[in-house]
Amino acid sequence: MDNKPDRREFIEKAIFLAGSTFCASCAPAFFSACEYIQEKPIPTMTERTREHIVDLNSFPELNEIGGAISKSFGKPFAGRPIIIIRKEKGTEDDFSIFSSICPHQGGEIILNEELGKNHWCLEHYSEYDFISGENLVPPDSEPDFKDPLVKLKYEHYPEENKLKFYY
Ligand code: FES
């Protein structure tokens, strides 16, 4: 007697049962993980708490109004440069600090060291205000894109001539 169809049927049922059991046991964990992802939004820049301290004695250009640097500080933004601009002296908001990662598609923002000129992204030629980081000229590939540069929160300690920024 040929029992091949029975064996095939048995194997198909076994596979179906194994798959059903697996799904039944994994589904709750899978869906609760999805809920977790949905409930944990990516923190905005103002919510970020990692910090880095800059000794301004190492950057004499930042002691003068209009002075600016674009420099990697290691860990922050995986080593991509941070742009720091000295815009005032003796106020509560003496600096502008930006990520040099273009908010459009991640190109590198080039620091324009002359006060009053704009930052440039050479990827699609967008321009950002030197002090405020506002988007002045959108990327040539997306004229409706108006996001500003990502501005970093900071604290200034004039007595120690240090700057702490958050990333
Ligand atoms: S990546 Fe900067 S303008 Fe597109």
Side-chain angles (χ1 to χ4, degrees), residues 102-107 109 121-126 128 139 141:
C102 181
H104 179 228
Q105 289 179 2
I109 299 296
C121 177
L122 296 181
E123 199 68 40
H124 306 110
Y125 308 109
S126 57
Y128 301 88
S141 57

Side-chain angles (χ1 to χ4, degrees), residues 36-124:
Y36 176 77
I37 290 167
Q38 286 171 356
E39 285 169 9
K40 289 285 246 183
I42 295 169
T44 65
M45 289 315 296
T46 50
E47 292 166 338
R48 296 192 179 198
T49 54
R50 283 176 292 176
E51 57 192 51
H52 184 88
I53 293 177
V54 179
D55 183 354
L56 295 174
N57 293 316
S58 304
F59 303 100
E61 55 272 60
L62 291 178
N63 291 317
E64 300 303 323
I65 292 176
I69 61 168
S70 178
K71 184 179 176 355
S72 166
F73 291 99
K75 257 187 171 178
F77 294 96
R80 298 278 294 267
I82 303 294
I83 296 173
I84 305 178
I85 295 159
R86 182 74 184 240
K87 58 182 184 181
E88 300 285 350
K89 263 189 173 179
T91 74
E92 296 214 327
D93 188 23
D94 283 354
F95 294 88
S96 286
I97 306 183
F98 303 111
S99 159
S100 69
I101 301 173
C102 181
H104 179 228
Q105 289 179 2
E108 185 163 340
I109 299 296
I110 306 299
L111 170 65
N112 188 325
E113 296 193 31
E114 289 179 49
L115 185 61
K117 296 199 174 174
N118 303 333
H119 302 290
W120 281 65
C121 177
L122 296 181
E123 199 68 40
H124 306 110

